[in-house]
Structures are given as structure tokens and as C-alpha cells.
Amino acid sequence: MKKIFAMMAVGLWLASPLVASDPSPLRTLMTGDDSRGWEGVGRLNIGPGGLCTGAMIADNIVLTAAHCMFNKVTGERVRPEDIQFLAGWRNGRASAYRGVRRAVVHPDFAFADDNRAARVVNDLAVLELDQPIRKNSVKPFAVHSRPRKGAEVGVVSYAHDRSESPALQEMCKVLARQSGTLVMSCSVDFGSSGAPVFVVQDGKPAIVSVISAKAKVRNIPVSLGTNLEKPLAELMRMMADGDGVFTQAQAVSRPPVSTFGSGAAGPGGAKFLRP
């Protein structure tokens, strides 16, 4: 199905030509000053070695990609008790450590679907933390409507080669949007799945998409993001109705992060949907 996925991205590009512009470079958030305001973005440790990125949208809710919730080898759902959220994880320390009480995956997301292009559209999940994070330094982000073509956006993400500190790309662009998918010039890699895509709204960052995949168009790397508006509203209704998979074990407040190796995606199923 590689051809289907590549054709989808190429079609979006050709249907929506855009004057090329260079995105800003990635800037690693190494210090407390660098990270200020971004502590609500965290590393998700998933099973033995899996890595994704997540972002808080409430003091007890983390937004990420649905495919992070599946074992990439077996296709089975990852147990919530095998997921930990490390808010603001940087250089061996987090601003807060939380387990996951419940995981809710969008009902129209099918991990085993051969149509990988379709999988991007609903590649969204929300995680209920075992305890809220109520710290002045760790703030959840607002959610904003889908950006227009040509809009400037930014991304904060972890990745397999920068799993110990997040990186900020302050400016990349929406190249096209179609059928609930955003095609962007943002730089992402394995482990960036679930990373929040931001716009600045009223002087503050607001989430407008979640990174789902990377691809190439005319040999140019692009990132694919999920539209939030309808899928996220559906997920929050499911959360309110008590749906989802609940943890079966007592979560720990400070997970043993030393057991998670290099952070490269592993059995936890945190890899991108490959083009």
C-alpha cells in the first residue's frame, strides 16, 4: 500500500501548488528558559522502548496519535498501564510524571487498514492521566480550528534521535489540506507521532493538528497531520460517556524511565505510518 499513500500526498501537492518557503530550523529546548511555556508537551513512554509525543489539553487529558496505542507487530492495543506521560521531559527529568488511567482511540481509526491515507484522517487518541497535573509551570494548551493553506504553524516534538529533550520548530507551513488531512513542511521523525502542531492565538500557542506521519512529495520531506475539529469532539464525547480502555493495574506516579532505552520506537507500536 506504499503506492496509495504516496499518491495521496502527491495528489494534495499537485492540486494545491504553493510557493516554496524554507521552514525554520529545529531548536532543541535544552534549558528551563528554552522550555518555558512548553512544559505541557511531554514524552510518552509506551511499553518496552516505544516512544511518542503527547500534549496536554486539560490538566488530566493528553492528546496524541491513535496509532501510538497499537503494537506495530501484533496490531493489539497497548494496555494503558504500559503508558507513562513525562510532562516537559528534558535531560533526565520531567516537570511531572503520570501514569494513564484510560485510553480512548477514535472509533473510525483502523490500525490494520491497508489504506494508510485514510488512517491519517482519524489518527487521534486522548489519554486520561491517573492524576491531574496542577502545577503553575505545566499548563494545558487550547485547541483551535484547522489552519488555512499557507498558514504558518510550529511543532514541538521528541524523536528517536532527540528523545531526551524536545525540539521546537517555530515556523513551517501548511502546504495543502484535504479530507481532514494537513500536508505540512514541518520536520518530523520517528517518535514525533502525536506531536502537537501549533498556531499562535491571542499571543498564546493553540493546538491545530497532531502529527500522524511523514512522507515525501517530489523527494521533498513533508509531514501529515490530522484535522482536530470533528474527531476531537467525538473523542471528548466518548470520554464523557465513560468509553475507552481502562488500566488494570495501579499506576505509578514516577515511572522507571531508565528502562526505556534510547527512545526509538519499538514494540509499543509508536512508529509513523510509513510512506
Side-chain angles (χ1 to χ4, degrees):
M1 291 298 105
K2 293 181 179 180
K3 185 176 180 182
I4 293 176
F5 196 64
M7 286 176 62
M8 174 263 194
V10 170
L12 286 168
W13 181 277
L14 293 177
S16 306
L18 186 70
V19 177
S21 61
D22 293 330
S24 64
L26 290 171
R27 178 166 64 89
T28 303
L29 305 179
M30 295 292 294
T31 68
D33 286 341
D34 291 339
S35 302
R36 190 167 292 117
W38 301 113
E39 293 90 347
V41 179
R43 193 173 97 176
L44 284 168
N45 289 339
I46 303 171
L51 166 68
C52 274
T53 304
M56 294 171 56
I57 57 173
D59 62 9
N60 66 333
I61 302 294
V62 169
L63 181 65
T64 190
H67 75 264
C68 294
M69 300 294 104
F70 292 83
N71 184 302
K72 69 182 181 66
V73 177
T74 66
E76 295 179 353
R77 282 283 298 267
V78 176
R79 300 183 307 170
E81 55 264 36
D82 292 333
I83 306 169
Q84 290 86 30
F85 178 65
L86 282 59
W89 176 259
R90 175 174 53 84
N91 300 326
R93 297 186 64 183
S95 299
Y97 301 78
R98 293 292 187 271
V100 171
R101 176 177 179 268
R102 176 171 42 146
V104 184
V105 169
H106 194 278
D108 293 333
F109 176 78
F111 183 77
D113 193 336
D114 286 338
N115 186 344
R116 296 190 176 188
R119 287 165 59 178
V120 175
V121 176
N122 294 303
D123 191 5
L124 208 62
V126 288
L127 308 177
E128 181 185 4
L129 302 178
D130 59 354
Q131 298 177 47
I133 299 175
R134 294 177 179 139
K135 299 181 67 174
N136 290 334
S137 61
V138 184
K139 299 292 187 183
F141 298 98
V143 177
H144 195 251
S145 56
R146 183 170 58 155
R148 68 187 185 283
K149 172 193 163 187
E152 292 185 356
V153 295
V155 178
V156 177
S157 65
Y158 295 83
H160 69 98
D161 57 351
R162 42 184 171 82
S163 61
E164 296 306 309
S165 295
L168 167 65
Q169 187 169 33
E170 293 183 286
M171 195 281 290
C172 43
K173 284 200 171 183
V174 177
L175 304 176
R177 62 180 206 171
Q178 181 175 326
S179 302
T181 300
L182 298 181
V183 181
M184 299 167 286
S185 63
C186 310
S187 298
V188 296
D189 209 336
F190 301 117
S192 300
S193 295
V197 180
F198 293 99
V199 296
V200 176
Q201 178 73 12
D202 298 327
K204 296 181 179 180
I207 301 175
V208 294
S209 185
V210 164
I211 294 295
S212 174
K214 65 177 182 177
K216 282 192 174 182
V217 177
R218 297 173 180 169
N219 291 321
I220 299 172
V222 297
S223 52
L224 304 180
T226 303
N227 177 32
L228 290 187
E229 293 161 294
K230 183 179 178 182
L232 181 56
E234 291 168 341
L235 282 174
M236 296 310 290
R237 281 196 296 270
M238 292 174 66
M239 182 75 74
D241 290 342
D243 295 336
V245 178
F246 287 80
T247 185
Q248 298 299 313
Q250 182 64 41
V252 293
S253 60
R254 186 181 177 94
V257 295
S258 60
T259 65
F260 283 88
S262 67
K271 284 193 175 183
F272 277 94
L273 311 179
R274 273 192 174 281

